Amino acid sequence: MIVRQFISWIRTAPAGERAEATRALARAWLISDLTEDDRIAAEGALLMLLDDPSPLVRQAMAEVFARSADAPAAIVQALSADQPAIALPVLEHSPLLIDADLVDIVATGSDEMQCAIARRTNLPASVAAAIAEVGSAAAALELIENPCAGLAPFSWDRIVERHGHLAAIRESMLQLEDLPSATRLALVAKLSDTLAQFVVTRNWLGADRADRIAGEARERSTVNIAARAFGDDMQNLITHLRATGQLTAGLILRALLSGNLDLFGAALAELSGLPYGRVSALLNDRGGNGLQALLRRAGLPESTYAAFRVALEASHEVGYVDSGDGAARLHRRMVERVLTHCETDHSAAEPLLILLRRFATESAREDARMFCEELAAEDAIAVLPYDDDLIAA
């Protein structure tokens, strides 16, 4: 009876009053002990109100039903396809929307709707993949910042491919501690390419030189990233490097000259097809008899064999590795030792000598930079006030 009176009254009531009455009826549906007849009548009234000309009425329903698992499924479905102001709370919170519903809305809805879905708690990988594939940059950013979203590795890569040129996307992703190393490297590549295009456009550098500098920056970043990669993450990184043509002799030599034996061994295992344990045993053989065969099987240029041999010998000696920098930068003494050997070896190829000279310059500049930073830190400590009372305490 009450519902029938409600239906009769609501036809002539002002929009604001209709909205408040609709809110009360929706709450009654969820928490009141309605008779079966009243429940059927209430659902009919709520369904009728989906056609109300005022969005305030439908918005009131959306606010009440958005988080409830007991809401009428047909009404929630209709509200999720309404205008954004009405649909957003339902899209972000309703447990009644299945994955297929959400994927369809991602494909056809507005940026605001995509963002609301990206903020959902426990967002399944299939929906996250849809946002990564067709979602806007804003939705991708919401997805990255949602700790409850389940993203497969290919979804991370797709976001990088589509939106990696945007600073906000890169910064948000690089702050994630569990971001796959291969994805982190892809972001660095996007940044390098963006910067290279910028300096070329401004006529600050020629295209060839900009590409070379960007390539060197990517290699440095690769070693830095690999220094924190282990297990499957390292293997996926190596696979990514090989698939993108970045697993070159120059990168592998840089890894060895940085003291990163894990990256060096994983790269040779990938290229040679040998198990990592077998490669590691060959590299730890102080006689070095198997190194040349390993390098040949990995397909590395014969002109680099001597450089790898001398660098590996140096890596076994005290003072050339374990410098405390996480196997992430070139070790100057190792570089200079290899360069000296190759400069006296008349069979060394000119491209290898050019590469080693670049390594020598880079490592010397890095050492000088660190030396100056240490001096500055010592000076800062020296000027601190001396407090006898503080020392005594």
Side-chain angles (χ1 to χ4, degrees):
M1 181 64 67
I2 295 176
V3 176
R4 291 178 181 177
Q5 293 173 353
F6 171 85
I7 294 172
S8 177
W9 167 81
I10 207 167
R11 296 180 185 277
T12 58
E17 294 182 13
R18 295 202 308 275
E20 288 305 314
T22 300
R23 189 187 311 275
L25 182 60
R27 287 175 177 167
W29 167 274
L30 294 178
I31 63 177
S32 297
D33 294 329
L34 299 176
T35 65
E36 185 64 23
D37 289 343
D38 282 343
R39 197 167 189 81
I40 294 172
E43 182 175 5
L46 290 169
L47 286 167
M48 178 196 69
L49 289 168
L50 290 173
D51 297 323
D52 194 285
S54 174
L56 295 176
V57 173
R58 302 192 304 281
Q59 189 171 356
M61 265 195 289
E63 291 171 355
V64 174
F65 288 147
R67 299 174 184 269
S68 176
D70 297 322
I75 292 177
V76 169
Q77 188 75 27
L79 293 172
S80 70
D82 211 313
Q83 56 184 270
I86 297 167
L88 294 187
V90 175
L91 294 176
E92 184 171 349
H93 300 293
S94 179
L96 297 178
L97 297 176
I98 63 174
D99 295 358
D101 295 331
L102 298 171
V103 169
D104 181 65
I105 294 171
V106 166
T108 60
S110 65
D111 288 0
E112 291 177 290
M113 291 179 169
Q114 292 175 350
C115 289
I117 294 172
R119 291 191 294 267
R120 286 176 68 92
T121 302
N122 298 323
L123 188 69
S126 59
V127 182
I131 295 173
E133 185 65 33
V134 301
S136 65
L141 187 59
E142 293 282 4
L143 188 64
I144 295 166
E145 296 177 347
N146 183 355
C148 301
L151 271 78
F154 69 85
S155 295
W156 286 118
D157 295 338
R158 188 61 176 141
I159 291 174
V160 173
E161 183 180 347
R162 297 183 62 235
H163 307 298
H165 61 286
L166 301 175
I169 295 289
R170 290 196 306 269
E171 291 172 4
S172 183
M173 291 183 72
L174 290 173
Q175 290 176 2
L176 300 174
E177 294 183 0
D178 58 347
L179 185 70
S181 292
T183 303
R184 194 176 297 274
L185 183 60
L187 279 172
V188 170
K190 280 282 187 179
L191 176 59
S192 298
D193 292 342
T194 300
L195 293 176
Q197 293 171 9
F198 177 76
V199 298
V200 170
T201 301
R202 300 297 292 264
N203 293 320
W204 292 346
L205 290 175
D208 291 342
R209 188 179 179 195
D211 288 342
R212 178 174 64 80
I213 293 174
E216 292 174 354
R218 282 194 295 270
E219 287 191 353
R220 288 194 295 271
S221 297
T222 299
V223 178
N224 285 328
I225 292 169
R228 299 185 294 273
F230 303 97
D232 291 342
D233 192 34
M234 172 67 85
Q235 184 55 51
N236 292 335
L237 175 61
I238 293 295
T239 302
H240 170 80
L241 289 170
R242 187 176 190 182
T244 55
Q246 298 179 69
L247 199 59
T248 63
L251 173 63
I252 298 172
L253 183 57
R254 175 186 283 275
L256 179 56
L257 291 173
S258 300
N260 194 329
L261 296 179
D262 289 338
L263 176 57
F264 178 59
L268 292 181
E270 173 72 20
L271 293 175
S272 66
L274 295 175
Y276 180 81
R278 175 60 177 159
V279 170
S280 181
L282 290 172
L283 296 180
N284 288 317
D285 178 11
R286 298 302 177 93
N289 296 326
L291 177 62
Q292 183 168 319
L294 178 60
L295 295 175
R296 182 180 295 111
R297 177 160 180 161
L300 298 181
E302 187 174 352
S303 60
T304 64
Y305 291 178
F308 279 113
R309 177 177 55 79
V310 175
L312 190 60
E313 290 173 355
S315 73
H316 291 148
E317 298 178 14
V318 177
Y320 282 90
V321 292
D322 298 327
S323 60
D325 59 7
R329 69 178 182 86
L330 290 166
H331 297 312
R332 186 177 181 182
R333 292 180 61 199
M334 288 182 68
V335 174
E336 290 176 346
R337 177 165 167 174
V338 175
L339 177 58
T340 299
H341 175 85
C342 291
E343 284 179 333
T344 58
D345 183 359
H346 298 296
S347 64
E350 187 64 25
L352 175 62
L353 292 175
I354 293 174
L355 178 65
L356 289 172
R357 291 183 186 119
R358 287 177 183 164
F359 284 172
T361 300
E362 179 185 329
S363 60
R365 293 179 65 177
E366 184 64 25
D367 274 5
R369 188 179 300 114
M370 293 182 65
F371 176 74
C372 292
E373 290 175 354
E374 290 172 359
L375 286 181
E378 291 174 0
D379 289 343
I381 294 174
V383 300
L384 289 175
Y386 187 84
D387 190 331
D388 291 333
D389 295 335
L390 181 60
I391 298 298

